[in-house]
Amino acid sequence: MVTLNAITKRYGKTVVLDNISCELDSSTYGLLGPNGAGKTTLFRIVTDLISSNGGTVMMDGKKQKLQIGYLPQKFGAFRTLTAREQLFYFAKLKQQKNDGIDWEEEVDRALELTHLTEKRDVKCGKLSGGMVRRLGIAQAILGKPDLILLDEPTVGLDIEERIRLKEVLEKLRGQQPIVISSHIAEDIEATCQKVLVINKGCLIFSGATEELSGLAANHVWKMPEQAYRQQPGLNQIGYIEENGNRLVKVLCIKENESPHENAVALAPRLEDGYVYLLERERV
Amino acid sequence: MKRAFRLIIYPRKQILARQGVCVVIVYAVLMPYLMRLLSLNDAMMIAREAFKYSQLLLAFLTVWSVFHFFLPVYQPRVREALQALHHPVVTCILELTAIQQILCIPVYVWFYVNLPLYRMIIWILIFQSFWLSLACACLLYLFRSPTGIAAVGLIYICIAIPFAESTIPLLLRPGRLLDGFQMNYWMTQGGLLIAMIVFLACYNHVYRRRHFF
């Protein structure tokens, strides 16, 4: 169990992270938040890349140095090394005396988990963006770290690569806490069991994905596009195609308040819960 | 110690070989070729001055190369993932790079104030201006929009050159000028020469058609 205890970060008078506290068990967590909410800053503090103004990171209730597997938002590889050489280099840096790990085997395991075994001897410069991203995950999982932090792992990837990434994350599930940062709720819904939502530096939600979706129950409606256009001020959160008709998905902050006589309540998804939460905070 | 050295050299093994070949090509082939393009007197003057200061330059380049050796570990996109490992070798390299960056500024100032080789930079700027005007003419020929091309050209010449190519901002951005002095700058000049050849081909083609401008 990894515990973040009152993590605070300030730049001058601006509070970037305000008393972030949470406990992470061996689940996959989605860290959601709008751009600039403080997700990357939190990761950088946990990995000790930047110092915090307060707070601690603990492992099983003790303050100790964590082995962290970290995929930064922008991950690049040494272009002249092959995928295997690149991982071997990271393995060498992670290696500790008498750690009892067969690193050759560990590198091969990481390559296999990330579906890169076939590309092991290909130079990183020739790998696609998605493959480099998977290589980034491979370096993060090397050596079975105590905590895995993946900062926007799906950003800039096509649909096929995103599916592959989800498969990889599925395989890693349950071994150690994994935190995946994203501002795309759909990605989090597909891969995570639990969610943390950060907004303006504050942790505003921590719980199961279903709980976050459940927040928007009786707040999400679908209604005909024409009716929507006649009622300005409604909060549109998407479109739905139904029998060739285009319906508008709207969010109402007040519970059970139907926006229109033809509006029908919808079962909320994670994205709806997330938008509802942010809207509620804004109001 | 051996392990630390291996950790540094490992990601550099192919780059080092390639860089070595490039430097040899640049110094052995491109520089004399460029000098031939200048007038004989200019070339002789630069060669004389270069020879006069060559030992100093060589020492300087050696020191620089030692620092340069560490840089690839710090390619921005690789850096953060490596840094997060908190390995002593990586941390040490980071510190060295920071020191290098701090040391570079006075070294640059000294280099360009004291060595007459700065004159070569003036020649480079002359080359670039010449190439830019020729490139603008090429664009004009290709796109037939004098106003647009002239605007782009003017913006580039008025803004980009003073801000990006003059020595003052280069002093403030360590790594750029000396990098260039070693290799990239001369490679760029090679590119400019090719562009000039392309332009001349274009010009001949247009001249024959007699409807340029």
Side-chain angles (χ1 to χ4, degrees), chain A residues 81-95 103-104 107 142, chain B residues 6-7 10:
Chain A
L81 299 185
T82 65
R84 193 169 188 279
E85 284 172 335
Q86 169 95 11
L87 287 188
F88 192 66
Y89 185 65
F90 274 93
K92 279 276 170 199
L93 291 171
K94 285 188 177 190
Q95 199 172 7
W103 286 96
E104 296 258 347
V107 165
L142 271 179
Chain B
R6 281 188 64 189
L7 283 172
Y10 192 76

PDB file of all heavy atoms in Angstrom, chain A residues 81-95 103-104 107 142, chain B residues 6-7 10:
ATOM      1  N   LEU A  81      19.967   2.927 -30.427  1.00  0.00           N
ATOM      2  CA  LEU A  81      19.937   1.635 -29.732  1.00  0.00           C
ATOM      3  C   LEU A  81      18.721   0.841 -30.175  1.00  0.00           C
ATOM      4  O   LEU A  81      17.695   1.409 -30.529  1.00  0.00           O
ATOM      5  CB  LEU A  81      19.871   1.844 -28.223  1.00  0.00           C
ATOM      6  CG  LEU A  81      21.013   2.589 -27.539  1.00  0.00           C
ATOM      7  CD1 LEU A  81      20.812   2.584 -26.040  1.00  0.00           C
ATOM      8  CD2 LEU A  81      22.358   1.969 -27.878  1.00  0.00           C
ATOM      9  N   THR A  82      18.837  -0.487 -30.097  1.00  0.00           N
ATOM     10  CA  THR A  82      17.667  -1.314 -30.393  1.00  0.00           C
ATOM     11  C   THR A  82      16.758  -1.301 -29.157  1.00  0.00           C
ATOM     12  O   THR A  82      17.186  -0.888 -28.075  1.00  0.00           O
ATOM     13  CB  THR A  82      18.070  -2.764 -30.715  1.00  0.00           C
ATOM     14  OG1 THR A  82      18.632  -3.325 -29.525  1.00  0.00           O
ATOM     15  CG2 THR A  82      19.070  -2.844 -31.845  1.00  0.00           C
ATOM     16  N   ALA A  83      15.523  -1.791 -29.354  1.00  0.00           N
ATOM     17  CA  ALA A  83      14.564  -1.785 -28.238  1.00  0.00           C
ATOM     18  C   ALA A  83      15.135  -2.543 -27.046  1.00  0.00           C
ATOM     19  O   ALA A  83      15.015  -2.105 -25.899  1.00  0.00           O
ATOM     20  CB  ALA A  83      13.258  -2.411 -28.697  1.00  0.00           C
ATOM     21  N   ARG A  84      15.783  -3.669 -27.325  1.00  0.00           N
ATOM     22  CA  ARG A  84      16.322  -4.486 -26.242  1.00  0.00           C
ATOM     23  C   ARG A  84      17.494  -3.783 -25.554  1.00  0.00           C
ATOM     24  O   ARG A  84      17.605  -3.793 -24.331  1.00  0.00           O
ATOM     25  CB  ARG A  84      16.764  -5.853 -26.778  1.00  0.00           C
ATOM     26  CG  ARG A  84      17.029  -6.852 -25.691  1.00  0.00           C
ATOM     27  CD  ARG A  84      17.200  -8.257 -26.223  1.00  0.00           C
ATOM     28  NE  ARG A  84      17.259  -9.193 -25.114  1.00  0.00           N
ATOM     29  CZ  ARG A  84      18.347  -9.425 -24.395  1.00  0.00           C
ATOM     30  NH1 ARG A  84      19.467  -8.799 -24.680  1.00  0.00           N
ATOM     31  NH2 ARG A  84      18.314 -10.293 -23.399  1.00  0.00           N
ATOM     32  N   GLU A  85      18.362  -3.171 -26.381  1.00  0.00           N
ATOM     33  CA  GLU A  85      19.511  -2.458 -25.805  1.00  0.00           C
ATOM     34  C   GLU A  85      19.040  -1.318 -24.906  1.00  0.00           C
ATOM     35  O   GLU A  85      19.605  -1.069 -23.852  1.00  0.00           O
ATOM     36  CB  GLU A  85      20.397  -1.903 -26.924  1.00  0.00           C
ATOM     37  CG  GLU A  85      21.255  -2.949 -27.595  1.00  0.00           C
ATOM     38  CD  GLU A  85      21.980  -2.423 -28.823  1.00  0.00           C
ATOM     39  OE1 GLU A  85      21.494  -1.452 -29.433  1.00  0.00           O
ATOM     40  OE2 GLU A  85      23.007  -2.979 -29.181  1.00  0.00           O
ATOM     41  N   GLN A  86      17.997  -0.628 -25.379  1.00  0.00           N
ATOM     42  CA  GLN A  86      17.442   0.496 -24.606  1.00  0.00           C
ATOM     43  C   GLN A  86      16.962   0.014 -23.230  1.00  0.00           C
ATOM     44  O   GLN A  86      17.274   0.599 -22.207  1.00  0.00           O
ATOM     45  CB  GLN A  86      16.264   1.078 -25.400  1.00  0.00           C
ATOM     46  CG  GLN A  86      15.415   2.054 -24.640  1.00  0.00           C
ATOM     47  CD  GLN A  86      15.819   3.499 -24.877  1.00  0.00           C
ATOM     48  OE1 GLN A  86      16.602   3.786 -25.766  1.00  0.00           O
ATOM     49  NE2 GLN A  86      15.293   4.380 -24.080  1.00  0.00           N
ATOM     50  N   LEU A  87      16.214  -1.102 -23.242  1.00  0.00           N
ATOM     51  CA  LEU A  87      15.706  -1.644 -21.979  1.00  0.00           C
ATOM     52  C   LEU A  87      16.848  -2.148 -21.107  1.00  0.00           C
ATOM     53  O   LEU A  87      16.827  -2.011 -19.887  1.00  0.00           O
ATOM     54  CB  LEU A  87      14.718  -2.775 -22.239  1.00  0.00           C
ATOM     55  CG  LEU A  87      13.344  -2.361 -22.771  1.00  0.00           C
ATOM     56  CD1 LEU A  87      12.415  -3.554 -22.794  1.00  0.00           C
ATOM     57  CD2 LEU A  87      12.730  -1.265 -21.932  1.00  0.00           C
ATOM     58  N   PHE A  88      17.833  -2.720 -21.759  1.00  0.00           N
ATOM     59  CA  PHE A  88      18.986  -3.235 -21.025  1.00  0.00           C
ATOM     60  C   PHE A  88      19.714  -2.088 -20.320  1.00  0.00           C
ATOM     61  O   PHE A  88      20.186  -2.228 -19.195  1.00  0.00           O
ATOM     62  CB  PHE A  88      19.914  -3.969 -21.993  1.00  0.00           C
ATOM     63  CG  PHE A  88      20.968  -4.766 -21.302  1.00  0.00           C
ATOM     64  CD1 PHE A  88      20.642  -5.871 -20.532  1.00  0.00           C
ATOM     65  CD2 PHE A  88      22.297  -4.414 -21.405  1.00  0.00           C
ATOM     66  CE1 PHE A  88      21.622  -6.597 -19.868  1.00  0.00           C
ATOM     67  CE2 PHE A  88      23.284  -5.131 -20.756  1.00  0.00           C
ATOM     68  CZ  PHE A  88      22.950  -6.224 -19.988  1.00  0.00           C
ATOM     69  N   TYR A  89      19.759  -0.946 -20.993  1.00  0.00           N
ATOM     70  CA  TYR A  89      20.392   0.229 -20.401  1.00  0.00           C
ATOM     71  C   TYR A  89      19.629   0.684 -19.146  1.00  0.00           C
ATOM     72  O   TYR A  89      20.220   0.962 -18.108  1.00  0.00           O
ATOM     73  CB  TYR A  89      20.462   1.357 -21.434  1.00  0.00           C
ATOM     74  CG  TYR A  89      21.208   2.572 -20.949  1.00  0.00           C
ATOM     75  CD1 TYR A  89      22.560   2.499 -20.670  1.00  0.00           C
ATOM     76  CD2 TYR A  89      20.564   3.789 -20.773  1.00  0.00           C
ATOM     77  CE1 TYR A  89      23.259   3.608 -20.219  1.00  0.00           C
ATOM     78  CE2 TYR A  89      21.257   4.901 -20.325  1.00  0.00           C
ATOM     79  CZ  TYR A  89      22.607   4.804 -20.054  1.00  0.00           C
ATOM     80  OH  TYR A  89      23.288   5.893 -19.601  1.00  0.00           O
ATOM     81  N   PHE A  90      18.303   0.740 -19.276  1.00  0.00           N
ATOM     82  CA  PHE A  90      17.485   1.107 -18.112  1.00  0.00           C
ATOM     83  C   PHE A  90      17.658   0.061 -17.000  1.00  0.00           C
ATOM     84  O   PHE A  90      17.704   0.404 -15.822  1.00  0.00           O
ATOM     85  CB  PHE A  90      16.007   1.231 -18.506  1.00  0.00           C
ATOM     86  CG  PHE A  90      15.661   2.591 -19.026  1.00  0.00           C
ATOM     87  CD1 PHE A  90      15.691   2.862 -20.377  1.00  0.00           C
ATOM     88  CD2 PHE A  90      15.321   3.614 -18.163  1.00  0.00           C
ATOM     89  CE1 PHE A  90      15.382   4.132 -20.861  1.00  0.00           C
ATOM     90  CE2 PHE A  90      15.015   4.886 -18.628  1.00  0.00           C
ATOM     91  CZ  PHE A  90      15.044   5.146 -19.987  1.00  0.00           C
ATOM     92  N   ALA A  91      17.728  -1.210 -17.405  1.00  0.00           N
ATOM     93  CA  ALA A  91      17.900  -2.280 -16.425  1.00  0.00           C
ATOM     94  C   ALA A  91      19.201  -2.094 -15.659  1.00  0.00           C
ATOM     95  O   ALA A  91      19.261  -2.264 -14.441  1.00  0.00           O
ATOM     96  CB  ALA A  91      17.881  -3.633 -17.131  1.00  0.00           C
ATOM     97  N   LYS A  92      20.261  -1.718 -16.403  1.00  0.00           N
ATOM     98  CA  LYS A  92      21.566  -1.491 -15.754  1.00  0.00           C
ATOM     99  C   LYS A  92      21.467  -0.378 -14.712  1.00  0.00           C
ATOM    100  O   LYS A  92      22.092  -0.432 -13.654  1.00  0.00           O
ATOM    101  CB  LYS A  92      22.617  -1.098 -16.812  1.00  0.00           C
ATOM    102  CG  LYS A  92      23.187  -2.267 -17.564  1.00  0.00           C
ATOM    103  CD  LYS A  92      24.311  -2.892 -16.776  1.00  0.00           C
ATOM    104  CE  LYS A  92      24.740  -4.216 -17.388  1.00  0.00           C
ATOM    105  NZ  LYS A  92      25.487  -5.025 -16.413  1.00  0.00           N
ATOM    106  N   LEU A  93      20.680   0.654 -15.055  1.00  0.00           N
ATOM    107  CA  LEU A  93      20.540   1.773 -14.114  1.00  0.00           C
ATOM    108  C   LEU A  93      19.680   1.395 -12.912  1.00  0.00           C
ATOM    109  O   LEU A  93      19.841   1.932 -11.827  1.00  0.00           O
ATOM    110  CB  LEU A  93      19.939   2.990 -14.830  1.00  0.00           C
ATOM    111  CG  LEU A  93      20.839   3.666 -15.868  1.00  0.00           C
ATOM    112  CD1 LEU A  93      20.063   4.700 -16.654  1.00  0.00           C
ATOM    113  CD2 LEU A  93      22.039   4.328 -15.223  1.00  0.00           C
ATOM    114  N   LYS A  94      18.738   0.462 -13.120  1.00  0.00           N
ATOM    115  CA  LYS A  94      17.859   0.051 -12.020  1.00  0.00           C
ATOM    116  C   LYS A  94      18.504  -1.018 -11.139  1.00  0.00           C
ATOM    117  O   LYS A  94      18.088  -1.223 -10.009  1.00  0.00           O
ATOM    118  CB  LYS A  94      16.543  -0.500 -12.586  1.00  0.00           C
ATOM    119  CG  LYS A  94      15.607   0.567 -13.121  1.00  0.00           C
ATOM    120  CD  LYS A  94      14.265  -0.022 -13.478  1.00  0.00           C
ATOM    121  CE  LYS A  94      13.298   1.050 -13.947  1.00  0.00           C
ATOM    122  NZ  LYS A  94      11.933   0.561 -14.069  1.00  0.00           N
ATOM    123  N   GLN A  95      19.491  -1.688 -11.710  1.00  0.00           N
ATOM    124  CA  GLN A  95      20.124  -2.812 -11.023  1.00  0.00           C
ATOM    125  C   GLN A  95      20.744  -2.399  -9.684  1.00  0.00           C
ATOM    126  O   GLN A  95      21.353  -1.340  -9.578  1.00  0.00           O
ATOM    127  CB  GLN A  95      21.237  -3.358 -11.925  1.00  0.00           C
ATOM    128  CG  GLN A  95      21.664  -4.734 -11.597  1.00  0.00           C
ATOM    129  CD  GLN A  95      22.630  -5.255 -12.670  1.00  0.00           C
ATOM    130  OE1 GLN A  95      23.057  -4.541 -13.558  1.00  0.00           O
ATOM    131  NE2 GLN A  95      22.966  -6.506 -12.563  1.00  0.00           N
ATOM    132  N   TRP A 103      18.224  -9.891 -14.817  1.00  0.00           N
ATOM    133  CA  TRP A 103      17.816  -8.727 -15.617  1.00  0.00           C
ATOM    134  C   TRP A 103      17.633  -9.056 -17.091  1.00  0.00           C
ATOM    135  O   TRP A 103      16.820  -8.435 -17.767  1.00  0.00           O
ATOM    136  CB  TRP A 103      18.791  -7.571 -15.409  1.00  0.00           C
ATOM    137  CG  TRP A 103      18.594  -6.934 -14.068  1.00  0.00           C
ATOM    138  CD1 TRP A 103      19.285  -7.184 -12.934  1.00  0.00           C
ATOM    139  CD2 TRP A 103      17.570  -5.995 -13.709  1.00  0.00           C
ATOM    140  NE1 TRP A 103      18.772  -6.455 -11.886  1.00  0.00           N
ATOM    141  CE2 TRP A 103      17.724  -5.705 -12.338  1.00  0.00           C
ATOM    142  CE3 TRP A 103      16.542  -5.364 -14.405  1.00  0.00           C
ATOM    143  CZ2 TRP A 103      16.889  -4.819 -11.661  1.00  0.00           C
ATOM    144  CZ3 TRP A 103      15.728  -4.477 -13.730  1.00  0.00           C
ATOM    145  CH2 TRP A 103      15.895  -4.218 -12.376  1.00  0.00           C
ATOM    146  N   GLU A 104      18.412 -10.025 -17.572  1.00  0.00           N
ATOM    147  CA  GLU A 104      18.237 -10.435 -18.977  1.00  0.00           C
ATOM    148  C   GLU A 104      16.814 -10.951 -19.170  1.00  0.00           C
ATOM    149  O   GLU A 104      16.114 -10.584 -20.112  1.00  0.00           O
ATOM    150  CB  GLU A 104      19.237 -11.555 -19.325  1.00  0.00           C
ATOM    151  CG  GLU A 104      20.681 -11.136 -19.258  1.00  0.00           C
ATOM    152  CD  GLU A 104      21.278 -10.877 -20.624  1.00  0.00           C
ATOM    153  OE1 GLU A 104      20.635 -11.261 -21.611  1.00  0.00           O
ATOM    154  OE2 GLU A 104      22.368 -10.277 -20.690  1.00  0.00           O
ATOM    155  N   VAL A 107      14.222  -8.134 -18.873  1.00  0.00           N
ATOM    156  CA  VAL A 107      14.090  -7.334 -20.098  1.00  0.00           C
ATOM    157  C   VAL A 107      13.199  -8.076 -21.099  1.00  0.00           C
ATOM    158  O   VAL A 107      12.294  -7.490 -21.701  1.00  0.00           O
ATOM    159  CB  VAL A 107      15.491  -7.037 -20.701  1.00  0.00           C
ATOM    160  CG1 VAL A 107      15.382  -6.532 -22.126  1.00  0.00           C
ATOM    161  CG2 VAL A 107      16.226  -6.020 -19.843  1.00  0.00           C
ATOM    162  N   LEU A 142      10.077  -2.533 -15.660  1.00  0.00           N
ATOM    163  CA  LEU A 142      11.290  -3.332 -15.413  1.00  0.00           C
ATOM    164  C   LEU A 142      11.598  -3.413 -13.919  1.00  0.00           C
ATOM    165  O   LEU A 142      11.524  -2.399 -13.218  1.00  0.00           O
ATOM    166  CB  LEU A 142      12.486  -2.662 -16.087  1.00  0.00           C
ATOM    167  CG  LEU A 142      12.814  -3.025 -17.521  1.00  0.00           C
ATOM    168  CD1 LEU A 142      14.017  -2.211 -17.976  1.00  0.00           C
ATOM    169  CD2 LEU A 142      13.100  -4.494 -17.674  1.00  0.00           C
TER     170      LEU A 142
ATOM    171  N   ARG B   6      30.876   2.454 -18.546  1.00  0.00           N
ATOM    172  CA  ARG B   6      30.046   1.697 -19.497  1.00  0.00           C
ATOM    173  C   ARG B   6      28.657   2.297 -19.605  1.00  0.00           C
ATOM    174  O   ARG B   6      28.069   2.349 -20.677  1.00  0.00           O
ATOM    175  CB  ARG B   6      29.962   0.228 -19.059  1.00  0.00           C
ATOM    176  CG  ARG B   6      31.201  -0.551 -19.445  1.00  0.00           C
ATOM    177  CD  ARG B   6      31.014  -2.019 -19.179  1.00  0.00           C
ATOM    178  NE  ARG B   6      29.952  -2.576 -20.004  1.00  0.00           N
ATOM    179  CZ  ARG B   6      29.464  -3.798 -19.848  1.00  0.00           C
ATOM    180  NH1 ARG B   6      29.952  -4.561 -18.914  1.00  0.00           N
ATOM    181  NH2 ARG B   6      28.523  -4.245 -20.619  1.00  0.00           N
ATOM    182  N   LEU B   7      28.135   2.764 -18.462  1.00  0.00           N
ATOM    183  CA  LEU B   7      26.796   3.363 -18.470  1.00  0.00           C
ATOM    184  C   LEU B   7      26.757   4.642 -19.300  1.00  0.00           C
ATOM    185  O   LEU B   7      25.764   4.981 -19.905  1.00  0.00           O
ATOM    186  CB  LEU B   7      26.334   3.665 -17.042  1.00  0.00           C
ATOM    187  CG  LEU B   7      25.848   2.459 -16.239  1.00  0.00           C
ATOM    188  CD1 LEU B   7      25.605   2.837 -14.799  1.00  0.00           C
ATOM    189  CD2 LEU B   7      24.596   1.857 -16.853  1.00  0.00           C
ATOM    190  N   TYR B  10      27.541   3.543 -23.236  1.00  0.00           N
ATOM    191  CA  TYR B  10      26.616   2.610 -23.880  1.00  0.00           C
ATOM    192  C   TYR B  10      25.692   3.251 -24.921  1.00  0.00           C
ATOM    193  O   TYR B  10      25.678   2.839 -26.079  1.00  0.00           O
ATOM    194  CB  TYR B  10      25.806   1.871 -22.805  1.00  0.00           C
ATOM    195  CG  TYR B  10      25.038   0.685 -23.331  1.00  0.00           C
ATOM    196  CD1 TYR B  10      25.691  -0.500 -23.618  1.00  0.00           C
ATOM    197  CD2 TYR B  10      23.680   0.759 -23.554  1.00  0.00           C
ATOM    198  CE1 TYR B  10      25.002  -1.583 -24.107  1.00  0.00           C
ATOM    199  CE2 TYR B  10      22.984  -0.323 -24.042  1.00  0.00           C
ATOM    200  CZ  TYR B  10      23.647  -1.492 -24.311  1.00  0.00           C
ATOM    201  OH  TYR B  10      22.962  -2.567 -24.802  1.00  0.00           O
TER     202      TYR B  10
END
